[in-house]
Amino acid sequence: GKLISAFFFGAKSLWWMSEAQQQFYHKLFPFLSEKNNTVLSSVFDDEFFVNVKRLREERSEECTEAWIVLGSNSWIKGAKAAEDWCKQQGHKYDVVWGLPYEEVLEKLATAQGFVYLPEGMDTCPRMVIEAKLMGCDLHLNDNVQHKDEEWFATDNLQEIEEYLYGSRELFWKQILDDANHTATISGYTTTRNCIEQGYPWKDCITSLLSFCTEVIVVDGGSTDGTWEELLEWSEKEEKLHPHQVLRDWDHPRFAVFDGAQKAAARSLCTGDYCWQIDADEVVPEKDGQKVINLCRSWPQMIDLISLPVVEFWGSEEKVRVDVNPWKWRLSRNLPHITHGIPAQLRKYDENGELYAAPGTDGCDYVHTETGEPIPHGTFYNEQAHNARVQALQGNKDALIAYQGWLQNCVELLPSVKHYSWMDLERKIKTYKNYWQKHWESMYDIKQEDTAENNMFFEKPWSQVTDEEITELAKQLAEKTGGHIFHQKIDLTRPTP
């Protein structure tokens, strides 16, 4: 049952032979109701309709008083029950079994009626339809699932034929629509003072416009002209939809607003799929088509996919090895998916304000009701991870292997270029002026401005000059290949 339900759930469209059959499966597997469901009934070819019309016209000349019983050794067909009913009613009857199809139709065309009493559910038995179109009286039980459906319950045989004839066109039209369907993709991102921050936000949005059917941008209240430029841009670009969601960025728990802004942007998306990106990320021009192709061949049993991230360090000549090369990126646009802090990491301070335990940046993909993380499919595997770890430990062969593997992934899969660490001087200044406050807000961790708590310099931030930051940024760009700033910088042991 689980296997069958998974098979059904993976289909683009579901076709049922009766309304009762559809209801039965939807009760067993309620999630199937979210799919594209159609009741098709039974399907007949052109020759059948020609023969039915001919035999029905000849019926009055050869009609007998006999009833037809379908013979079968299978308990489910109810052959014995049908014979018993005929005997009880005193009807003459013929048991039809093993005859060529044409002869079966001829027998129905001359019979008084057809009795069919299956012992189990029969979705849309063809012989019942054939008997009705021949003008037979019918005696059926409730296991004949289509007997009370509107198209069949009528006495207007022409309406029944029109319904059956149209079913074939309905089927092929839907199949062709499924085969030729181009998925709609909503790209979404958030902004706040991107001009002041020096983010490549315009390149970010431009890259989304190249392959998305709509681009949602939620601005958090920019005061540097970013919002005004977004509005002006949207007047010329119909796919660009900017919105403002204002927050109190002086709130003690302002850090949780990052996830809330992403959630707000996602909630405005209308496409079949959602592509999330940050304002300091850019999709390479050639990768837009890869995103479209991935949506066409989406792995059916997952709702979220993580994809490669190329993390530049100081310039586009260096790509980081010290961080994981993936990020949650592309997902189905389902109402239960949002952004936020996973339930198991949610904390509340004495004022009842939400913050997080370490292990999240507050922007995870989570279930709207349970808060559980959304499982994701990924290209990153254990072998690649082990090579990356060995490379960090100085294994040059592992570094070459990891580099080749990542290069192949970037060639095959849609990826994103991340520019957060391109301008290292700006990044260090951001840590000095912002990120410490951010982490205090997010994790409720109070840190004094001391040399011990400064991961960049052996002195408090208050004593660090702009000249020192400029010099350190230069050394990091020249001598290292990436550094996670949760630990002290050690220029004597540079990362590859």
Side-chain angles (χ1 to χ4, degrees):
K2 290 182 178 179
L3 184 62
I4 293 299
S5 70
F7 178 67
F8 283 7
F9 187 73
K12 288 189 175 181
S13 53
L14 295 174
W15 301 89
W16 307 100
M17 294 187 70
S18 69
E19 294 172 3
Q21 183 195 32
Q22 176 181 260
Q23 292 166 3
F24 178 79
Y25 274 85
H26 284 187
K27 185 176 181 180
L28 282 176
F29 310 114
F31 51 84
L32 293 183
S33 62
E34 301 174 8
K35 307 296 290 184
N36 184 15
N37 292 272
T38 307
V39 176
L40 189 68
S41 308
S42 289
V43 180
F44 300 85
D45 63 13
D46 286 336
E47 186 178 356
F48 167 79
F49 293 105
V50 173
N51 286 336
V52 163
K53 185 176 182 181
R54 175 181 60 82
L55 292 169
R56 195 164 60 227
E57 289 174 350
E58 299 171 355
R59 174 179 172 81
S60 58
E61 301 174 4
E62 304 178 16
C63 189
T64 69
E65 296 181 357
W67 282 65
I68 299 297
V69 172
L70 175 62
S72 175
N73 282 331
S74 172
W75 66 271
I76 201 169
K77 294 299 183 182
K80 184 177 183 305
E83 286 194 63
D84 290 344
W85 181 84
C86 288
K87 292 174 183 177
Q88 292 168 5
Q89 300 298 317
H91 293 321
K92 295 178 182 179
Y93 66 92
D94 288 334
V95 178
V96 175
W97 197 1
L99 295 180
Y101 181 58
E102 293 76 13
E103 292 186 30
V104 174
L105 291 182
E106 290 174 1
K107 277 193 168 290
L108 289 172
T110 60
Q112 171 67 34
F114 176 61
V115 55
Y116 187 53
L117 304 171
E119 297 292 330
M121 291 181 289
D122 202 334
T123 53
C124 190
R126 298 171 64 88
M127 198 166 178
V128 173
I129 300 171
E130 292 159 353
K132 178 142 188 173
L133 290 177
M134 293 302 181
C136 294
D137 296 332
L138 298 177
H139 180 68
L140 312 170
N141 65 10
D142 288 338
N143 283 330
V144 179
Q145 291 187 312
H146 73 277
K147 74 180 183 68
D148 295 322
E149 292 183 15
E150 183 177 355
W151 68 270
F152 185 79
T154 179
D155 292 327
N156 189 324
L157 300 185
Q158 183 177 345
E159 288 184 2
I160 297 175
E161 289 181 357
E162 290 174 353
Y163 170 83
L164 294 171
Y165 198 87
S167 293
R168 301 176 304 172
E169 183 178 354
L170 173 68
F171 176 78
W172 285 114
K173 182 180 184 301
Q174 182 63 56
I175 292 298
L176 289 172
D177 284 347
D178 286 343
N180 299 324
H181 175 67
T182 299
T184 54
I185 304 170
S186 296
Y188 65 102
T189 189
T190 59
T191 57
R192 180 169 172 260
N193 292 338
C194 291
I195 296 174
E196 180 182 293
Q197 294 295 325
Y199 289 154
W201 63 284
K202 289 187 177 180
D203 291 336
C204 168
I205 294 172
T206 298
S207 70
L208 292 179
L209 290 169
S210 69
F211 67 90
C212 294
T213 47
E214 66 174 2
V215 176
I216 307 297
V217 181
V218 166
D219 184 82
S222 295
T223 57
D224 65 346
T226 301
W227 173 242
E228 288 74 17
E229 289 197 22
L230 272 171
L231 290 177
E232 184 179 352
W233 192 355
S234 67
E235 292 177 359
K236 304 172 185 176
E237 174 54 68
E238 61 179 15
K239 291 198 296 183
L240 179 59
H241 306 295
H243 302 263
Q244 264 201 336
V245 179
L246 303 179
R247 310 276 181 181
D248 178 9
W249 297 101
D250 293 324
H251 191 282
R253 298 300 176 200
F254 70 90
V256 303
F257 295 160
D258 279 359
Q261 292 293 89
K262 284 185 172 68
R266 183 183 179 88
S267 70
L268 297 168
C269 294
T270 64
D272 300 321
Y273 297 91
C274 294
W275 177 275
Q276 189 278 324
I277 194 170
D278 290 340
D280 56 3
E281 297 178 315
V282 177
V283 181
E285 183 177 354
K286 63 183 176 62
D287 282 13
Q289 187 59 47
K290 294 181 188 177
V291 180
I292 295 171
N293 293 341
L294 182 54
C295 291
R296 285 175 178 164
S297 57
W298 186 270
Q300 293 294 339
M301 299 312 296
I302 57 176
D303 296 329
L304 172 64
I305 292 177
S306 58
L307 291 167
V309 181
V310 179
E311 299 273 7
F312 294 121
W313 178 261
S315 72
E316 289 192 341
E317 299 303 313
K318 287 185 178 182
V319 174
R320 299 180 67 174
V321 182
D322 63 313
V323 291
N324 284 323
W326 63 268
K327 183 178 176 181
W328 302 301
R329 188 70 65 187
L330 184 61
S331 60
R332 297 181 192 272
N333 189 5
L334 298 174
H336 70 268
I337 300 178
T338 188
H339 292 276
I341 301 169
Q344 65 271 27
L345 297 177
R346 292 175 185 173
K347 303 287 184 180
Y348 295 89
D349 61 21
E350 61 276 8
N351 297 318
E353 300 289 350
L354 175 68
Y355 69 97
T360 175
D361 63 356
C363 300
D364 295 27
Y365 284 79
V366 296
H367 196 289
T368 53
E369 295 180 2
T370 67
E372 292 299 312
I374 302 296
H376 66 107
T378 182
F379 66 100
Y380 193 51
N381 55 49
E382 184 177 2
Q383 185 178 4
H385 179 74
N386 291 338
R388 187 174 73 84
V389 171
Q390 291 173 27
L392 286 170
Q393 295 170 350
N395 187 321
K396 294 183 178 180
D397 290 337
L399 179 62
I400 293 171
Y402 177 72
Q403 177 174 314
W405 171 83
L406 183 57
Q407 183 65 44
N408 286 335
C409 291
V410 169
E411 288 296 324
L412 291 169
L413 297 169
S415 61
V416 163
K417 294 181 178 180
H418 190 197
Y419 291 92
S420 183
W421 289 274
M422 274 280 288
D423 186 341
L424 290 172
E425 182 175 352
R426 180 195 65 79
K427 193 69 175 179
I428 297 171
K429 288 180 178 178
T430 303
Y431 268 80
K432 175 183 178 180
N433 299 319
Y434 172 77
W435 279 109
Q436 184 57 48
K437 300 175 185 176
H438 182 93
W439 299 131
E440 287 181 3
S441 170
M442 175 67 72
Y443 302 126
D444 199 37
I445 298 174
K446 302 296 182 183
Q447 285 190 322
E448 300 296 327
D449 182 18
T450 63
E452 181 181 0
N453 290 332
N454 190 331
M455 299 296 114
F456 296 83
F457 299 92
E458 294 299 330
K459 54 181 167 181
W461 276 115
S462 57
Q463 299 177 17
V464 176
T465 66
D466 287 349
E467 290 74 17
E468 289 174 312
I469 290 176
T470 300
E471 178 58 28
L472 178 61
K474 181 181 178 181
Q475 292 189 56
L476 287 174
E478 292 176 353
K479 297 180 181 180
T480 70
H483 188 88
I484 300 173
F485 299 130
H486 299 163
Q487 56 188 4
K488 290 277 189 178
I489 290 174
D490 185 355
L491 293 174
T492 65
R493 298 182 62 188
T495 52

